[in-house]
Amino acid sequence: MAKAAQKITLSPSKDIPFDKLVLSQSNVRRIKAGVSVEELAEDIARRGLLQGLNVRPVLDAEGVETGMFEIPAGGRRFQALSLLVKQKRLAKTAPIPCILRDAASDILAEDDSLAENMQRVALHPLDQFRAFAELRAKGQGEEEIAAAFFVTPQIVKQRLRLASVAPALLEAYAEDGMTLEQLMAFTVNEDHDRQIQVWDAVRNSWNREPHMIRRMLTETAVRADDRRAIFVGVEAYEAAGGILMRDLFQEAHEGWLESPALLDQLVSAKLQTEAEALVSEGWKWIEVATDLPYGYSHGLRRLAGDPAPMSEEESATHAALLSEYRALEDEYSGRDEYPEEIDARLGELERAMERLEHRPLIFDPAEVTRAGAFVTVDRDGRLAVYRGYVRPEDEPSEEVAAQDAEGAEAMGQGGDTNGAGWLPGETVITSGGQPVGGERPDEEEDGALKPLPERLVMEMTAHRTLALREAIGRSPDVALTLLLLKLVTDTFRTSNASGSCLEASVRHVFMSAQAPDLKDSVVAKLVHERHAAWEAELPLGDDAALWDYLTALDQGSRLALLAHCLSFGINALHEKVNPYGAGISASGLTRRMAHADLVARAVDLDMVEAGWEPTVDGYLNRVPKARILEAVREAKGEGTAQLLDHLKKGEMAIEAERLLKGSGWLPEVLRRADLITLGDAEGAEGQGEDTAVPAEVDLPAFLTAELTDSVAPMIAAE
């Protein structure tokens, strides 16, 4: 007969007064770092003891029970109870639920203590997220939940946001199909359909990095630090019904504005309001534009205004600030450096005085009625108003000027030769809007190299034209040679001179096709600063005074001024060829490009030093994949290019931008012909100072995750 299995007998439970319990020396938990007793005590005070203590009778030397009980398992709970007793929130004789182990048991006290700590299974994070969501659904607020579990309200918000991700993605996370960091990335966009769409796109991709998920979820949104968002204000955007996507897991990130169209409407409306506030100043026209292109004031005359005087109050304030500034300077003049608080105060005083010294300009009222202003948003998201520009058609005719001098009022102060019916004080507000670019043709991803898009070539040659302009402006000898070339060509080939003994002019070339960042480029700033410096020196209002000024200039200054003026006639632009006679011919365009390359060689032009880089928006996203791979291949080698070959267009452009950063690579249209030789790989890869391929390429993990140890270094070094 089979022997019956012995039944298991569990240790009995018993309520034991607190003052009969002592902590056992057999408790294996000895390290106290990271163990919080205070929080557990507060939790026990709120909800009671959820788990009893494991105790054994204390025996004396003869093995007789003493009536006291030791605690080998549950020491942290006992310490929390002790704290409550010490705070007189729990009675010393309060009964404590315990599991009583037989003193004669074969199981050691250390065994019980170790088992209790090792047999624990931590709660899966998803279960915690869902539990928080259940508490929230049953009426507990975020602050209440945070207080109950001793976490910050921000953590509760994060857990609730994670629980709100699409159920299919939560299941993938529960089954270890994605990491917690990836799940966190999906919280930036609350649209479940879009979340699933992005997950389907990346789940089998090499690139499943959280930053890529965030980028795909926000690709149609506008960052909150965009200048338009700063100008309007996120609060105003949300008040208008706009949705702000926030990333609760990146504290430094301010979020994304989900409705770019609404944002643009708010920007236009606010600019319109600001423009209407200027009407009272009496301008004839006000042009409103979110972006002003480089050269927006070309052909317009700038009014010369006088700074408005300070009021008595402003003068007194300025004097007080200056007095304090000089007193602090005198007090600390003998020290090597100012104390931190004094240095900060001096900075505050300087800024306050600069605000007072920066005075608005006062213009001649007669000139204001024929001039206008531009209203736009600057690169820092602040309102920018540029006043006092006169269009050529608004310049007074000789007849009107004569009548103005005699005091006649029949034709008005504006002298508007083309503005019939316009009366002073009727300001016309217009909006130029964004420049409209040509549509991109559909790509045929057959791997073949196709010509670069024509508008892209025009934009890149605009960069080159501006860089040449800056270089010519600081190269008087080259400028003089260029001028002589023009004069010799005109003298010996054709002559159209009339009304003067000499005709030699510079026609300011305006770049109609240009990238949005051209006006903020390094070379644009250099040209503007040089132009402003000369403009401040020249007596432009009086021809006789200007003649005397130019005559008195030393030879070096005369050449420098010649170079600067000549630089504005530089035209290295690619333009559409018109076979019907209007515009430039094919042969003319070829000659212009060759001529521009001669000048580039003479001034040693380097487009890398001029600030051009192959960015996603400026180049890589606007050419076929074959062009992107060609660029990476030339700059980083065939192996690196092959690693990108499987990526989609957008991902490939992003990775290519990172790989090409600082490589000095340039597309053909920006390279100098004299630095390119057949079969010379280095010359084809760019013309910056550092064009050599590095020995090792810092490849992202998703590109090298499944490569063998021997293959990856070979590809990286290729």
Side-chain angles (χ1 to χ4, degrees):
M1 173 183 266
K3 186 177 180 180
Q6 185 176 0
K7 299 295 184 180
I8 296 174
T9 301
L10 300 178
S11 298
S13 59
K14 182 179 180 179
D15 288 345
I16 301 174
F18 174 80
D19 57 1
K20 299 297 182 183
L21 300 173
V22 294
L23 190 61
S24 173
Q25 295 302 310
S26 299
N27 194 305
V28 299
R29 186 185 291 276
R30 305 292 173 83
I31 308 300
K32 305 302 180 184
V35 178
S36 173
V37 175
E38 292 78 5
E39 290 182 0
L40 179 57
E42 292 299 325
D43 191 73
I44 293 173
R46 177 177 178 269
R47 72 180 87 245
L49 194 62
L50 296 180
Q51 183 180 356
L53 308 180
N54 184 285
V55 302
R56 294 174 180 238
V58 177
L59 306 179
D60 61 14
E62 284 76 27
V64 178
E65 294 185 9
T66 62
M68 299 294 292
F69 299 87
E70 63 176 352
I71 307 168
R76 179 166 170 259
R77 276 162 281 155
F78 176 72
Q79 291 175 338
L81 292 169
S82 299
L83 180 59
L84 293 174
V85 171
K86 183 179 179 180
Q87 296 172 347
K88 301 187 182 302
R89 301 165 70 186
L90 181 69
K92 291 183 178 181
T93 58
I96 307 300
C98 298
I99 302 296
L100 181 59
R101 170 77 74 179
D102 189 352
S105 174
D106 294 334
I107 305 297
L108 297 175
E110 290 84 358
D111 194 338
D112 282 344
S113 179
L114 184 61
E116 186 191 53
N117 288 283
M118 292 190 62
Q119 294 297 336
R120 293 178 182 176
V121 176
L123 189 68
H124 191 282
L126 182 56
D127 290 329
Q128 184 192 104
F129 308 157
R130 287 170 170 166
F132 277 10
E134 286 291 333
L135 294 176
R136 184 69 180 85
K138 292 180 179 180
Q140 288 194 18
E142 294 169 0
E143 297 283 348
E144 188 179 357
I145 297 173
F149 294 96
F150 305 98
V151 295
T152 64
Q154 176 70 5
I155 290 178
V156 175
K157 291 179 181 179
Q158 292 174 349
R159 301 299 187 264
L160 292 174
R161 181 70 70 84
L162 286 167
S164 68
V165 174
L169 302 188
L170 293 178
E171 292 303 320
Y173 171 59
E175 297 171 1
D176 295 330
M178 72 169 65
T179 66
L180 177 59
E181 289 73 19
Q182 290 170 332
L183 184 66
M184 289 160 57
F186 279 102
T187 65
V188 302
N189 191 328
E190 298 181 2
D191 185 342
H192 284 187
D193 292 337
R194 181 57 180 156
Q195 290 174 354
I196 294 174
Q197 184 182 20
V198 170
W199 176 240
D200 290 340
V202 303
R203 65 192 306 173
N204 297 319
S205 170
W206 286 96
N207 193 351
R208 298 170 61 183
E209 296 295 319
H211 72 85
M212 176 59 69
I213 295 172
R214 286 189 179 91
R215 182 179 292 119
M216 295 177 69
L217 286 168
T218 59
E219 60 188 357
T220 60
V222 176
R223 291 175 61 96
D225 57 4
D226 183 274
R227 63 189 181 90
R228 293 170 295 168
I230 296 173
F231 177 65
V232 171
V234 172
E235 296 80 6
Y237 166 80
E238 291 184 297
I243 298 175
L244 180 67
M245 299 185 294
R246 289 184 172 89
D247 191 341
L248 296 180
F249 300 94
Q250 292 184 327
E251 295 183 3
H253 201 288
E254 298 178 357
W256 296 267
L257 282 66
E258 195 177 56
S259 307
L262 173 61
L263 176 62
D264 289 336
Q265 290 175 9
L266 294 174
V267 171
S268 298
K270 187 172 181 179
L271 285 175
Q272 179 75 13
T273 301
E274 298 290 353
E276 291 171 355
L278 300 178
V279 170
S280 61
E281 297 181 10
W283 303 107
K284 179 178 181 181
W285 54 266
I286 298 175
E287 174 69 21
V288 175
T290 305
D291 285 300
L292 290 176
Y294 176 79
Y296 67 91
S297 61
H298 169 63
L300 307 183
R301 177 170 64 89
R302 181 74 184 272
L303 298 183
D306 298 319
M310 292 186 187
S311 65
E312 293 183 3
E313 182 180 353
E314 288 173 330
S315 298
T317 301
H318 186 276
L321 293 171
L322 182 59
S323 177
E324 182 182 353
Y325 186 90
R326 289 175 175 172
L328 289 174
E329 277 192 324
D330 292 341
E331 182 179 352
Y332 294 92
S333 60
R335 302 192 184 186
D336 293 336
E337 59 181 22
Y338 294 123
E340 185 175 346
E341 64 278 5
I342 298 302
D343 188 56
R345 179 55 181 164
L346 289 173
E348 293 174 0
L349 294 171
E350 286 179 351
R351 290 188 291 273
M353 288 188 290
E354 286 176 0
R355 286 193 293 270
L356 289 171
E357 293 166 358
H358 186 69
R359 311 300 299 165
L361 296 178
I362 298 177
F363 301 99
D364 182 352
E367 290 274 56
V368 168
T369 57
R370 65 169 61 94
F374 295 95
V375 179
T376 186
V377 182
D378 70 12
R379 62 188 304 173
D380 296 320
R382 295 172 300 195
L383 176 70
V385 179
Y386 307 114
R387 296 173 171 85
Y389 291 91
V390 181
R391 292 168 173 167
E393 61 268 26
D394 294 330
E395 294 286 4
S397 64
E398 293 182 3
E399 179 183 356
V400 173
Q403 292 183 4
D404 286 344
E406 297 172 1
E409 299 180 356
M411 298 190 66
Q413 297 177 358
D416 184 14
T417 57
N418 294 325
W422 176 83
L423 297 174
E426 292 182 348
T427 303
V428 178
I429 300 176
T430 59
S431 177
Q434 297 285 342
V436 180
E439 296 182 358
R440 300 182 195 168
D442 294 336
E443 280 186 8
E444 295 180 10
E445 293 292 353
D446 56 4
L449 284 177
K450 299 178 177 59
L452 293 174
E454 190 161 30
R455 181 173 177 86
L456 177 59
V457 174
M458 295 169 71
E459 290 181 4
M460 289 193 296
T461 53
H463 267 286
R464 193 184 196 215
T465 298
L466 190 58
L468 278 173
R469 184 174 294 175
E470 195 282 322
I472 286 291
R474 55 178 163 78
S475 306
D477 291 338
V478 177
L480 184 58
T481 303
L482 183 61
L483 177 59
L484 286 173
L485 178 64
K486 169 70 165 58
L487 296 179
V488 168
T489 301
D490 290 347
T491 301
F492 289 91
R493 293 189 178 181
T494 182
S495 176
N496 295 319
S498 61
S500 174
C501 63
L502 172 65
E503 285 195 3
S505 63
V506 174
R507 181 176 63 87
H508 190 149
V509 179
F510 180 71
M511 288 156 279
S512 57
Q514 55 179 269
D517 60 348
L518 182 62
K519 66 179 182 297
D520 296 323
S521 64
V522 174
V523 289
K525 182 178 180 181
L526 292 173
V527 171
H528 174 74
E529 289 176 349
R530 188 170 58 229
H531 188 79
W534 275 115
E535 191 173 31
E537 290 291 331
L538 295 170
L540 298 174
D542 187 333
D543 286 345
L546 179 60
W547 178 270
D548 294 339
Y549 175 86
L550 295 175
T551 303
L553 280 180
D554 60 81
Q555 188 67 4
S557 299
R558 288 162 61 87
L559 289 175
L561 180 57
L562 169 65
H564 175 72
C565 296
L566 195 66
S567 71
F568 283 85
I570 291 295
N571 187 353
L573 290 170
H574 171 86
E575 296 182 35
K576 291 183 178 180
V577 171
N578 192 332
Y580 303 105
I584 193 167
S585 64
S587 60
L589 182 60
T590 300
R591 184 169 180 268
R592 176 190 290 178
M593 294 296 103
H595 193 182
D597 209 67
L598 287 174
V599 178
R601 186 185 311 174
V603 297
D604 195 23
L605 179 67
D606 187 337
M607 287 304 298
V608 175
E609 290 184 356
W612 192 90
E613 284 187 316
T615 61
V616 170
D617 295 332
Y619 181 80
L620 298 167
N621 228 7
R622 304 174 63 183
V623 298
K625 290 173 65 175
R627 285 281 182 185
I628 302 176
L629 293 174
E630 178 194 40
V632 175
R633 184 180 298 112
E634 291 181 352
K636 298 295 182 180
E638 178 64 32
T640 304
Q642 289 179 2
L643 291 176
L644 303 183
D645 194 18
H646 67 285
L647 298 178
K648 293 183 179 180
K649 171 71 172 294
E651 299 173 0
M652 181 183 291
I654 292 170
E655 286 304 320
E657 179 184 58
R658 188 183 66 81
L659 290 169
L660 295 174
K661 182 76 172 178
S663 67
W665 181 87
L666 294 172
E668 303 96 322
V669 71
L670 297 183
R671 300 174 186 171
R672 276 174 39 198
D674 61 307
L675 297 183
I676 302 176
T677 57
L678 292 177
D680 182 0
E682 291 186 1
E685 289 172 11
Q687 295 158 14
E689 294 182 1
D690 184 14
T691 58
V693 177
E696 295 185 1
V697 178
D698 181 18
L699 299 176
F702 74 90
L703 292 179
T704 59
E706 297 185 4
L707 296 178
T708 64
D709 293 340
S710 59
V711 174
M714 293 174 60
I715 292 179
E718 199 169 299

